[in-house]
Every structure is written in structure tokens, then in C-alpha cells.
Amino acid sequence: MTITDTGTVRWNPEALDEILANDEGRPVLFTNARILTMDPLIGTLTGADLLFVGSLLVGVGPGIITAAGDDNAIVVDCTGLTIAPAVVDTVALAGGRGHRSEYVATLTPGNTPDFLVVPDGLAADVPSAVSALVSVPEQVRALVAAGRPVLWSGADVPGRAAAPEAGIPAAEDLTGSPRVGVWIDRNGFLYQELTADGRYDETRGGRPHAYQGRYWIDGDRIDYLDDLGFWAYGEFQGNELHHAGYVMKLG
């Protein structure tokens, strides 16, 4: 598999092929980079490595490369390049997080490997690294989302995930779905009926049709668009539906 030439340096094409062929069993190591972790404890690292397995970041810092051979890691040389979070916590940048545990999307072990790789000269800080994705995308060496390359050498990666189309989708036919039915909260106050045509109808405190509208299910997430115009959401957790502080089960 080869990537389309974009006029920039053809950067580590062999590593890209290995990552795309990886079944998430092999670790992936981006090595010898300047890393802007955005973590107040770890800070900015130089000559450092970033190690992830599948969608989990497992290590960051110098010296990880020494175990690359032992672990059969896919190694990506990042000499002269900076790695920065691809998801930027602007509240943290403005000093608005009171605790390190509240920071979002830092390049910290235990988090998801969502990151950019750009030349050092384009990455004085996190905002400038992220802006390079918009202003000079051909210079972006890699954009990685949950451990899978999205951009490489400034070009779309073959087989990359496509963003959903903007706009309100048509309702699915949910006939036979185990999530269709009447969901009732623990106190019997809220009854939420999900019908197979993608509509919901809520009874609250004995008041019928308190809220009605459309819904969509994506994985364990449910989005609601009420006929009054507002949006809400819920989450399926096992045999429970959590929505707006209510915990419901199928009646």
C-alpha cells in the first residue's frame, strides 16, 4: 500500500503500512520526538517516546525505545518533529482546570492516543501545532485518532474512517430491537416509550405525552430531538437506560 504524493516529504511509509496491517496486537512506538503532553505533571519532553497499544496510550518519555525489540513494536522515527494532542482542552490552556484529573485529552498514559506529528518549527505550543492542521495540512506528518492513522504525510490514509454526514438522518426501522419498548424509572415517575419507527413518548408523574419526539441510537448512546426543538441524550448501560438523572429499565 502506498500513499499519494502530496509534495511533502514521504514520511515513514513502511511504518504506515505496518500500522495499517496491525491487528492492534503489536505496540506502536513514536520515538525521539518533542512531546507536548499538556499534562501539568509530565509537561513537555524532548527526545522522548510515545507508546500505545490499540487505542490505549501506555507510556510516554525517554528511553522506551530500549524495549522496542523485546516487544516487537512498530517504530516510527520522529527526529525533528513534535507530537501534540489532537484534541485540545482550551479550558486547561486558559488555566481553568483546578485538578490535573480534570484535564481532557492529554498525552498521558491511560488516555486515548489522539495526536498530531508536525515539524518542530510549526509547533511552538499546542495551539500552533493544531493550527498547522488547518493552515499547512501538507506539512502534517501524521494525525492519529484512537491509535489509527487518519492523515499521513499530509494525505488521507487509505481506508480511514469517514465522518458522518452533517444533518438529521432518517429514522431507522428498529423492529426487533431489544431496546424498543417502555422504559420505566425506579420510582415509577418516568415512562419513556421507544417505538420501532424512531419516536419516543414520555409520561411523567402520570402526565401523558409530557415530551415526544425522535430518537437515534448509535452504539450505547441515544440522542433525542424533542418536538419542542431541544436535544437530549441518554446511555444504555447493560439493561439500564440512563437519561437526565433517571435510571430506567424495560417494563
Side-chain angles (χ1 to χ4, degrees):
M1 182 181 296
T2 57
I3 197 164
T4 304
D5 188 3
T6 61
T8 188
V9 176
R10 285 179 53 81
W11 183 70
N12 284 317
E14 296 83 5
L16 173 62
D17 288 343
E18 286 189 275
I19 295 171
L20 294 180
N22 187 22
D23 62 359
E24 299 189 354
R26 294 178 64 189
V28 181
L29 182 71
F30 282 63
T31 186
N32 199 32
R34 174 172 167 260
I35 303 178
L36 309 177
T37 70
M38 268 195 70
D39 184 311
L41 177 64
I42 300 173
T44 295
L45 304 167
T46 57
D49 309 327
L50 185 142
L51 177 68
F52 58 92
V53 180
S55 59
L56 182 67
L57 202 164
V58 297
V60 62
I64 302 176
I65 186 66
T66 58
D70 298 337
D71 298 335
N72 191 30
I74 299 168
V75 177
V76 185
D77 181 28
C78 296
T79 301
L81 300 172
T82 291
I83 296 175
V87 180
V88 179
D89 187 343
T90 54
V91 174
L93 281 173
R97 302 285 187 203
H99 299 279
R100 173 178 175 250
S101 61
E102 298 172 351
Y103 279 51
V104 177
T106 58
L107 296 181
T108 306
N111 284 354
T112 302
D114 294 327
F115 61 90
L116 284 161
V117 182
V118 298
D120 288 343
L122 297 176
D125 50 27
V126 171
S128 61
V130 173
S131 70
L133 182 62
V134 177
S135 59
V136 283
E138 69 279 2
Q139 292 300 317
V140 173
R141 297 300 191 264
L143 170 62
V144 175
R148 299 297 293 178
V150 175
L151 299 177
W152 199 272
S153 290
D156 288 349
V157 169
R160 58 168 285 183
E165 291 186 14
I168 298 174
E172 277 188 81
D173 179 2
L174 295 172
T175 301
S177 169
R179 289 169 171 172
V180 167
V182 179
W183 294 81
I184 307 169
D185 86 302
R186 293 167 176 169
N187 300 317
F189 176 83
L190 177 65
Y191 287 68
Q192 184 183 95
E193 182 179 10
L194 303 180
T195 57
D197 61 354
R199 296 281 301 175
Y200 69 90
D201 190 344
E202 285 189 4
T203 296
R204 289 176 172 247
R207 179 165 54 98
H209 315 308
Y211 292 107
Q212 296 174 294
R214 302 169 63 185
Y215 74 90
W216 296 265
I217 295 174
D218 185 358
D220 289 329
R221 180 186 175 98
I222 178 169
D223 288 282
Y224 305 91
L225 173 57
D226 197 82
D227 290 342
L228 295 175
F230 67 83
W231 290 86
Y233 90 103
E235 184 179 21
F236 295 98
Q237 298 182 13
N239 65 348
E240 296 177 339
L241 172 55
H242 294 240
H243 163 65
Y246 295 95
V247 178
M248 296 174 278
K249 290 189 176 182
L250 275 173

